[in-house]
Amino acid sequence: MDKPTDRNEIMGRPSKSEERREQILDAFERIILRDGYAKASQRKIAEEADLNQPMIHHYFSGQNELLDAFLARIISRYSQALNEFVQSNEAPSLEQVISFVCSDDFHKISRQNEVFFCLIGQGGFGDEMFQKLSSVYHRFLQEIICHLEQANIANAEHLAYMIMCFVIGHDWAKKLGFGEHRNEKVAHDLLSLAKLSCTES
């Protein structure tokens, strides 16, 4: 992996190397959405990204490295959104956490990550691929647990899993045409269940 050392890095802008990697990952995502992961060869990615094939290999030595970078990008989108929320809300309450993960702003991240859900839906994976996809959910879960614990919320692990299931399930429901207007109701119902869970623990 190239380590950017040019003026762009010093000025806080993406380096040429980083921009090229993002260009390749963008092409990779478009192919998964349009044609499926099985057809995302380096040749096809090069054509989609308007680059020559050796350039793809220069930045990603093979399919495993490309997939790892793709999954890291998925995780980073969720992590960045959660971290920005926490930084703007000192010791957020349970209500604030749930309101945020059910908000339109947070669901925009899931729409960005639609390619990940599409990839899961394609199925037919071996154990190694399955473990890599599963790791995204585990990382997302740990992020939520961490933020709940920082807010001194009881039964953080159980609540985090409930929140994750609701958020992901809600995004799938919206894809099937159930609409965006249910966010507020989802947040209300989830908060009621979360408070009940805390009381029972």
Side-chain angles (χ1 to χ4, degrees):
M1 181 185 304
D2 289 4
K3 293 184 179 180
T5 56
D6 62 19
R7 179 178 173 81
N8 284 336
E9 181 189 26
I10 297 171
M11 299 298 292
R13 296 192 299 270
S15 70
K16 191 68 175 177
S17 173
E18 290 172 326
E19 289 178 350
R20 193 70 78 198
R21 286 174 62 85
E22 290 300 304
Q23 180 182 356
I24 293 168
L25 288 171
D26 287 343
F28 185 47
E29 288 193 10
R30 290 195 297 271
I31 291 171
I32 292 173
L33 282 168
R34 188 183 64 234
D35 306 318
Y37 176 76
K39 294 187 178 179
S41 65
Q42 288 200 356
R43 179 190 60 77
K44 196 158 191 173
I45 293 168
E47 291 174 357
E48 184 74 24
D50 196 24
L51 298 169
N52 58 53
Q53 191 168 336
M55 184 71 74
I56 307 298
H57 188 74
H58 173 74
Y59 289 102
F60 299 99
S61 61
Q63 199 76 355
N64 282 337
E65 188 175 335
L66 190 58
L67 178 63
D68 289 344
F70 162 74
L71 295 179
R73 188 191 225 193
I74 300 296
I75 293 168
S76 176
R77 286 169 178 161
Y78 280 124
S79 296
Q80 183 176 346
L82 287 167
N83 288 331
E84 286 176 358
F85 161 72
V86 170
Q87 288 171 10
S88 63
N89 293 272
E90 187 176 350
S93 65
L94 179 59
E95 287 87 348
Q96 287 174 312
V97 173
I98 289 176
S99 178
F100 173 67
V101 297
C102 292
S103 70
D104 285 338
D105 284 343
F106 191 75
H107 286 294
K108 287 177 184 176
I109 308 299
S110 288
R111 287 195 290 276
Q112 266 190 301
N113 285 339
E114 179 184 356
V115 62
F116 175 68
F117 301 116
C118 177
L119 179 58
I120 291 173
Q122 291 171 17
F125 308 121
D127 289 343
E128 183 180 359
M129 178 74 156
F130 177 82
Q131 290 300 324
K132 286 184 177 185
L133 296 177
S134 179
S135 72
V136 174
Y137 283 97
H138 284 287
R139 284 287 299 277
F140 184 36
L141 177 62
Q142 289 304 315
E143 290 270 356
I144 299 174
I145 291 173
C146 178
H147 294 312
L148 290 177
E149 287 177 342
Q150 288 175 357
N152 297 314
I153 293 170
N155 209 9
E157 185 171 352
H158 178 68
L159 288 180
Y161 183 73
M162 187 192 311
I163 288 170
M164 184 182 75
C165 289
F166 262 69
V167 169
I168 293 173
H170 184 210
D171 285 326
W172 273 108
K174 287 190 298 181
K175 284 174 65 65
L176 295 173
F178 287 89
E180 301 285 343
H181 65 283
R182 298 169 184 259
N183 284 8
E184 187 175 338
K185 183 70 165 62
V186 169
H188 176 270
D189 292 344
L190 181 52
L191 181 59
S192 298
L193 287 172
K195 287 181 173 178
L196 179 62
S197 176
C198 286
T199 302
E200 293 176 347
S201 62

